[in-house]
């Protein structure tokens, strides 16, 4: 049976997006070391502080000072401008809430309205899956705000700014006459959940009139479900309950009338201070849910939870599926999409290096490289030609096609430096492959040259290091000949066909289809990218499966099956490039 591989590269569009204040904000669970920020270490330090607070242990001064220095550095570097595209935003937001904890009581919640708006507009059920204790830190803030009245009884703190200390007024709590029993129940429930003990399940029969209290009761039910059934089994109901509680909270805060013109000790009275001053254990319950999920959801201990989780049934099913191989494959792809499958790094070179020995000594061997530009260390044609020295009995031919004139000359210059006996096996042509014979405009230059006019929006991008990216106008165009692969070369069979043409992969496949259906192409490598938004990977996988090919996602460490003879390895979440800007 023939085989084929797919190189996944659409993550450049779907992951490196500036977070917005709407529900299309994609949450990252595992953050990269962009800008030399070690997010995993920061996350571990923040969790350590939160756990100490949960059990009443004092914080280590040295660790707090170290965190303060790192927080200031990260916020100064990434807190504004285009660099937001390159930073772990959920980590940055968590650090900003950590600074809020450290500043109490010298804080002004009005200064954090932007951060609160970002958190409140994100999907809280997905925030629970992140690696950062954002709700645990907010619980510390709420506990400090709740202690405001008690601290005013201390003579040394009696006068602030020349007058009596003024504590934030929990308006919502005043809607109920006697809520202490319910609040004590929720406090005990949170503490038992954080201690990983049997849940404290005593509660009052009456429901609060305060919407924040109603939301807290909804979250309490979610916590019971997770503790009873585990994160994976309880996830669909959990996500629904958390979303319901979020709607209750945001609706109440949005419908509040304008606050009177007054200030308390937390600055101007605002909706954020209304939430923090409430006695309901709202953020405490969210924190307990996050802790319980981290303990129970992911049974694949060697793999982190995927940050890219759809709200659709297909996405929640992945969270529940701990047993099947297909579920493990999907989770692995989503968890490692940015690091391992984005452009695949040197995955193509590794694969080719291991696949080449299989054909040695078997007569004529033909390799075809479409989009053969030798850029930096990437030059597949050079690697294929190196096989000449190893296969002494085989007759090797490498056909390389590169349409851009400058790219063609640079590639030619690199390949002419190779040994002459290697060059005799090379057929380098300046042409583009497609599905019919014509001439077409080629747009752009360098590795982003494409027959698609809007491929990169007329821009050329340069990496400047330390997470900085610079763009410039690229209006270069030139006319190039286009022919089907079956017309570009006459060969009996092709051992390896590689296609990387910035959006025209399907047209090239269509032009090569006569060779494919005649079983004259052994292996295919093609780039799967955001250009496929109007195409369907599943349809292509089915078509190739019918003619005897197996499909895989190619990564730097491994490749994952996506088709099979009966499409038994397909999952709908593999259409990751159909909507490159969507969370699902």
């Amino acid at each position: 049976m023939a085989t084929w591989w797919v190189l996944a590269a659409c993550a450049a569009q779907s992951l490196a997006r500036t977070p917005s204040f709407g529900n299309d904000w994609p949450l990252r669970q595992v953050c990269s070391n962009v800008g030399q920020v070690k997010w995993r270490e920061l996350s571990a330090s923040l969790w350590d502080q939160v756990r100490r607070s949960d059990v009443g242990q004092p914080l280590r001064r040295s660790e707090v000072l170290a965190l303060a220095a790192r927080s200031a550095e990260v916020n100064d570097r990434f807190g504004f401008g285009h660099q937001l595209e390159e930073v772990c935003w959920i980590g940055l937001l968590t650090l900003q809430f950590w600074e809020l904890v450290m500043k109490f009581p010298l804080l002004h919640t009005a200064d954090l309205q932007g951060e609160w708006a970002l958190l409140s507009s994100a999907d809280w059920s997905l925030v629970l899956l992140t690696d950062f204790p954002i709700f645990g830190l907010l619980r510390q803030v709420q506990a400090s705000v709740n202690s405001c009245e008690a601290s005013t009884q201390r003579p040394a703190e009696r006068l602030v700014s020349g007058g009596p200390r003024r504590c934030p007024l929990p308006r919502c709590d005043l809607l109920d006459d006697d809520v202490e029993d319910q609040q004590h129940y929720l406090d005990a429930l949170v503490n038992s959940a954080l201690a990983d003990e049997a849940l404290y399940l005593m509660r009052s029969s009456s429901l609060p009139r305060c919407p924040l209290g109603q939301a807290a009761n909804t979250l309490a039910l979610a916590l019971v479900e997770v503790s009873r059934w585990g994160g994976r089994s309880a996830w669909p109901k959990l996500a629904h309950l958390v979303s319901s509680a979020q709607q209750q909270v945001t609706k109440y805060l949005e419908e509040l009338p304008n606050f009177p013109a007054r200030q308390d000790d937390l600055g101007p009275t605002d909706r954020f201070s209304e939430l923090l001053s409430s006695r309901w254990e709202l953020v405490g319950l969210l924190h307990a849910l996050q802790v319980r999920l981290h303990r129970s959801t992911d049974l694949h201990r060697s793999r982190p939870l995927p940050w890219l989780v759809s709200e659709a049934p297909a996405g929640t099913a992945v969270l529940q599926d701990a047993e099947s191989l297909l579920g493990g494959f999907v989770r692995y792809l989503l968890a490692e999409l940015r690091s391992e499958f984005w452009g695949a790094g040197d995955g193509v070179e590794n694969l080719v290096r291991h696949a080449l020995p299989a054909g040695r000594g078997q007569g004529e061997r033909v390799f075809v490289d479409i989009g053969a530009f030798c850029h930096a260390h990437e030059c597949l044609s050079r690697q294929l030609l190196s096989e000449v020295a190893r296969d002494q009995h085989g007759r090797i031919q490498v056909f390389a096609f590169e349409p851009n004139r400058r790219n063609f000359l640079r590639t030619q210059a690199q390949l002419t430096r190779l040994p002459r006996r290697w060059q005799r096996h090379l057929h380098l042509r300046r042409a583009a492959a497609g599905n019919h014979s014509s001439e077409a405009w080629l747009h752009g230059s360098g590795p982003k040259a494409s027959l698609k006019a809007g491929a990169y929006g007329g821009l050329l991008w340069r990496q400047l290091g330390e997470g900085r990216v610079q763009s410039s106008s690229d209006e270069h165009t030139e006319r190039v000949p286009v022919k089907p692969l079956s017309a570009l070369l006459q060969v009996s069979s092709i051992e390896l066909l590689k296609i990387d043409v910035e959006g025209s992969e399907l047209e090239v496949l269509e032009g090569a289809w006569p060779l494919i259906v005649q079983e004259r192409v052994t292996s295919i490598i093609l780039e799967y990218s955001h250009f496929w938004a109007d195409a369907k990977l599943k349809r292509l996988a089915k078509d190739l499966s019918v003619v005897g090919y197996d499909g895989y996602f190619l990564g730097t460490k491994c490749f994952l099956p996506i088709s099979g003879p009966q499409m038994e390895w397909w999952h709908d979440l593999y259409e990751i490039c159909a909507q490159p800007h969507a969370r699902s």
Side-chain angles (χ1 to χ4, degrees):
M1 177 176 288
T3 57
W4 69 289
W5 287 267
V6 174
L7 167 61
C10 75
Q13 292 290 320
S14 62
L15 309 191
R17 296 278 294 163
T18 304
S20 69
F21 286 86
N23 285 330
D24 62 338
W25 178 31
L27 294 171
R28 304 180 190 177
Q29 187 213 3
V30 181
C31 296
S32 62
N33 290 345
V34 175
Q36 301 177 349
V37 178
K38 297 182 179 178
W39 290 108
R40 288 181 183 274
E41 294 181 10
L42 280 174
S43 172
S45 298
L46 290 168
W47 271 110
D48 183 65
Q49 172 176 311
V50 169
R51 292 189 186 101
R52 286 175 176 273
S53 176
D54 289 343
V55 298
Q57 293 181 356
L59 303 178
R60 296 191 185 99
R61 177 177 173 79
S62 59
E63 292 180 351
V64 172
L65 292 176
L67 260 176
R70 295 300 300 278
S71 178
E73 175 190 357
V74 172
N75 279 291
D76 288 344
R77 182 183 301 178
F78 297 110
F80 57 90
H82 71 276
Q83 292 169 330
L84 291 180
E85 297 183 5
E86 296 297 327
V87 77
C88 171
W89 181 251
I90 190 68
L92 181 60
L93 185 63
T94 307
L95 283 176
Q96 289 169 339
F97 281 123
W98 177 85
E99 290 190 343
L100 180 67
V101 177
M102 294 296 104
K103 289 178 180 178
F104 188 85
L106 301 176
L107 57 89
H108 298 284
T109 57
D111 296 338
L112 290 170
Q113 284 302 292
E115 286 75 8
W116 165 247
L118 182 57
L119 179 61
S120 62
S121 66
D123 187 332
W124 286 358
S125 64
L126 297 182
V127 177
L128 293 174
L129 299 180
T130 67
D131 274 341
F132 294 90
I134 192 164
F135 294 119
L137 291 168
L138 279 179
R139 185 186 183 221
Q140 294 183 23
V141 178
Q142 187 178 27
S144 300
V145 173
N146 288 165
S147 67
C148 177
E149 292 179 358
S151 64
T152 61
Q153 305 304 316
R154 302 174 188 171
E157 297 179 1
R158 200 108 196 223
L159 298 179
V160 176
S161 302
R165 181 166 184 167
R166 295 165 296 187
C167 299
L169 179 64
R171 289 167 169 76
C172 189
D173 294 19
L174 301 180
L175 297 177
D176 295 281
D177 297 329
D178 185 9
V179 295
E180 287 189 4
D181 288 344
Q182 294 186 66
Q183 291 171 344
H184 289 161
Y185 151 68
L186 292 175
D187 184 60
L189 176 67
V190 170
N191 289 332
S192 60
L194 293 176
D196 205 16
E197 299 172 350
L199 294 185
Y200 182 88
L201 295 177
M202 298 292 291
R203 61 175 298 176
S204 171
S205 58
S206 61
L207 290 176
R209 285 178 289 178
C210 170
L212 298 183
Q214 296 169 11
N217 275 275
T218 303
L219 292 175
L221 179 59
L223 182 58
V224 172
E225 289 292 317
V226 171
S227 301
R228 179 180 296 171
W229 305 110
R232 181 168 286 103
S233 298
W235 177 257
K237 189 170 184 178
L238 165 69
H240 173 72
L241 290 171
V242 172
S243 296
S244 298
Q246 182 178 1
Q247 291 173 10
Q248 289 173 303
V249 173
T250 54
K251 181 180 179 181
Y252 168 71
L253 295 179
E254 288 171 359
E255 292 180 351
L256 281 175
N258 292 331
F259 287 97
R262 64 178 290 270
Q263 285 196 348
D264 54 39
D265 284 348
L266 300 185
T269 307
D270 55 29
R271 288 167 173 77
F272 193 26
S273 63
E274 168 74 14
L275 175 69
L276 295 177
S277 64
S278 172
R279 269 60 173 178
W280 293 104
E281 269 278 28
L282 195 69
V283 291
L285 286 159
L286 288 167
H287 172 50
L289 276 171
Q290 187 175 22
V291 171
R292 284 278 179 161
L293 279 173
H294 278 218
R295 290 173 182 165
S296 66
T297 299
D298 195 7
L299 300 182
H300 296 286
R301 296 298 183 186
S302 61
R303 297 257 59 83
L305 276 172
W307 63 265
L308 185 68
V309 180
S310 171
E311 294 177 288
T316 56
V318 172
L319 286 177
Q320 299 175 50
D321 185 2
E323 306 299 332
S324 73
L325 280 175
L326 176 58
F329 289 150
V330 177
R331 295 165 68 85
Y332 185 93
L333 176 71
L334 295 179
E336 305 297 332
L337 187 58
R338 185 181 181 94
S339 60
E340 184 175 336
F341 294 91
W342 179 5
D346 56 356
V348 173
E349 289 74 12
N350 289 339
L351 174 64
V352 171
R353 183 169 59 253
H354 288 91
L356 288 178
R360 287 176 188 165
Q362 297 183 9
E364 186 176 41
R365 304 174 67 189
V366 175
F367 307 115
V368 179
D369 187 357
I370 300 179
F373 178 37
C374 289
H375 175 62
H377 70 283
E378 299 177 5
C379 189
L380 183 62
S381 294
R382 180 174 56 205
Q383 182 182 1
L384 294 170
L385 286 170
S386 68
E387 182 69 4
V388 173
R390 296 175 177 85
D391 191 351
Q392 299 296 330
H393 303 287
R395 292 173 294 168
I396 295 173
Q397 305 294 331
V398 176
F399 294 87
F401 301 93
E402 172 55 49
N404 180 277
R405 180 177 180 277
R406 182 176 296 178
N407 293 349
F408 175 83
L409 294 176
R410 289 174 61 183
T411 301
Q412 187 180 52
Q414 278 206 36
L415 296 180
T416 53
R417 300 191 192 106
L418 298 175
R420 287 188 178 182
R421 64 188 184 92
W422 291 13
Q423 295 180 37
R424 289 196 294 268
H425 298 265
L426 173 66
H427 308 274
L428 177 62
R429 290 182 56 185
R430 183 175 168 239
N435 53 9
H436 63 280
S437 297
S438 65
E439 279 198 351
W441 286 105
L442 185 72
H443 304 267
S445 54
K448 299 186 184 302
S450 172
L451 293 175
K452 305 288 186 181
Y456 291 95
L459 294 177
L460 180 65
W461 296 86
R462 292 184 178 87
Q463 296 284 346
L464 302 180
E466 295 187 357
R468 294 178 299 156
V469 180
Q470 183 184 66
S471 64
S472 58
S473 177
D474 184 5
E475 300 179 352
H476 174 79
T477 58
E478 58 183 283
R479 295 286 285 181
V480 296
V482 180
K483 291 184 178 181
L485 182 63
S486 55
L488 282 172
L489 71 163
Q490 300 296 321
V491 294
S492 58
S493 63
I494 298 173
E495 182 174 330
L496 175 66
L497 170 61
K498 170 254 185 179
I499 308 171
D500 183 1
V501 289
E502 305 304 312
S504 298
E505 286 81 10
L506 294 181
E507 287 85 348
V508 175
L509 277 179
E510 187 177 344
W513 201 250
L515 301 174
I516 293 174
V517 296
Q518 295 172 21
E519 299 183 358
R520 293 164 59 187
V521 183
T522 303
S523 301
I524 306 169
I525 302 175
L526 75 155
E527 182 183 51
Y528 175 49
S529 70
H530 64 282
F531 298 116
W532 289 49
D534 297 327
K536 291 292 184 181
L537 178 63
K538 184 177 183 179
R539 186 181 304 124
L540 176 62
K542 279 186 175 180
D543 291 344
L544 287 169
S545 180
V546 168
V547 293
Y549 289 81
D550 286 334
Y552 298 86
F553 276 128
L554 171 59
T556 56
K557 300 176 183 176
C558 64
F559 49 90
L560 300 179
I562 61 175
S563 61
Q566 305 300 324
M567 292 297 291
E568 62 269 26
W569 298 115
W570 176 259
H571 195 287
D572 287 342
L573 283 178
Y574 287 157
E575 292 283 5
I576 53 178
C577 296
Q579 293 180 305
H581 303 316
R583 184 166 55 216
S584 58

